[in-house]
């Protein structure tokens, strides 16, 4: 199974309940199980999306928002989600999160990104576009454009919904 980036949009009270459950459990199990409808599998898209923004000349504020949308922040203590044997992301960096205020700001900036313009800045040949992006984008079946558009739209929509619902987002690799 491939390691891919996962995101979950959750209420702060759910995170607090998981933290409390982990501390009360003899084995540290937080009972982390957000609803499937509030989880997004971004596959390997984060590095490709950031690179697309870089090579296409995306302005710094939106590029930073795109990175933050997939990197998260370490301000929220998620150590209890990274404890063996119940770690949610045992194959990657420690889980990170964005507060609901951060989610709202990132969502607003993601919604301002014109993905079609970014993709239009790539070479017309899909393989050349993939080479320019790097990170294996030249091997994506169907080419990088469709893949990046699909994953960006999913990311943007996920953040828009989280912002509307005042949720925070937890990110990990699994």
């Amino acid at each position: 199974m491939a390691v891919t980036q996962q995101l979950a949009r959750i209420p702060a009270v759910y995170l607090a309940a998981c933290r409390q459950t982990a501390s009360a459990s003899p084995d540290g199990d937080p009972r982390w199980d957000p609803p499937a409808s509030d989880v997004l599998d971004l596959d390997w898209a984060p590095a490709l999306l950031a690179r697309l923004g870089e090579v296409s000349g995306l302005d710094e504020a939106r590029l930073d928002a795109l990175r933050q949308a997939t990197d998260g922040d370490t301000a929220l203590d998620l150590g209890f989600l990274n404890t063996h044997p119940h770690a949610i992301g045992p194959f990657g960096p420690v889980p990170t999160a964005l507060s609901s205020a951060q989610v709202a700001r990132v969502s607003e900036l993601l919604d301002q990104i014109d993905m079609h313009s970014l993709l239009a800045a790539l070479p017309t040949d899909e393989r050349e576009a993939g080479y320019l992006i790097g990170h294996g984008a030249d091997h994506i079946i169907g080419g990088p454009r469709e893949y990046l558009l699909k994953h960006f739209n999913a990311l943007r929509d996920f953040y828009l919904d989280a912002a509307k619902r005042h949720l925070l987002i937890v990110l990990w690799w699994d």
Side-chain angles (χ1 to χ4, degrees):
M1 179 191 276
V3 176
T4 60
Q5 184 167 46
Q6 307 294 308
L7 292 85
R9 52 188 175 210
I10 58 169
V13 295
Y14 179 77
L15 189 64
C18 287
R19 183 179 285 113
Q20 184 176 12
T21 301
S23 97
S25 170
D27 65 351
D29 185 356
R31 301 261 197 277
W32 173 260
D33 191 22
S37 60
D38 284 320
V39 175
L40 174 65
D41 183 340
L42 260 190
D43 198 38
W44 301 312
L48 303 176
L49 288 168
R51 181 68 180 140
L52 172 64
E54 292 166 4
V55 302
S56 299
L58 185 61
D59 68 274
E60 207 56 41
R62 285 163 192 75
L63 184 57
D64 286 345
L66 183 57
R67 288 183 183 129
Q68 190 174 29
T70 59
D71 291 344
D73 192 319
T74 58
L76 292 174
D77 175 21
L78 300 178
F80 69 95
L81 292 176
N82 198 38
T83 304
H84 181 74
H86 304 288
I88 65 170
F91 305 112
V94 298
T96 60
L98 294 177
S99 69
S100 59
Q102 289 172 308
V103 167
R105 181 173 177 344
V106 166
S107 173
E108 181 182 327
L109 291 167
L110 289 178
D111 198 37
Q112 295 171 10
I113 295 174
D114 181 354
M115 184 54 78
H116 293 287
S117 292
L118 296 183
L119 293 170
L122 292 174
T124 54
D125 179 82
E126 289 285 351
R127 196 149 183 113
E128 285 180 41
Y131 285 131
L132 180 62
I133 294 168
H135 303 284
D138 57 307
H139 297 298
I140 295 173
I141 296 171
R145 281 181 179 78
E146 181 180 328
Y147 176 88
L148 290 168
L149 183 61
K150 173 186 165 189
H151 285 84
F152 174 78
N153 287 341
L155 178 68
R156 183 198 59 223
D157 294 348
F158 193 80
Y159 268 86
L160 285 170
D161 184 67
K164 285 179 191 170
R165 294 166 53 199
H166 305 285
L167 301 175
L168 57 86
I169 292 185
V170 174
L171 306 95
W172 71 99
W173 287 86
D174 188 18

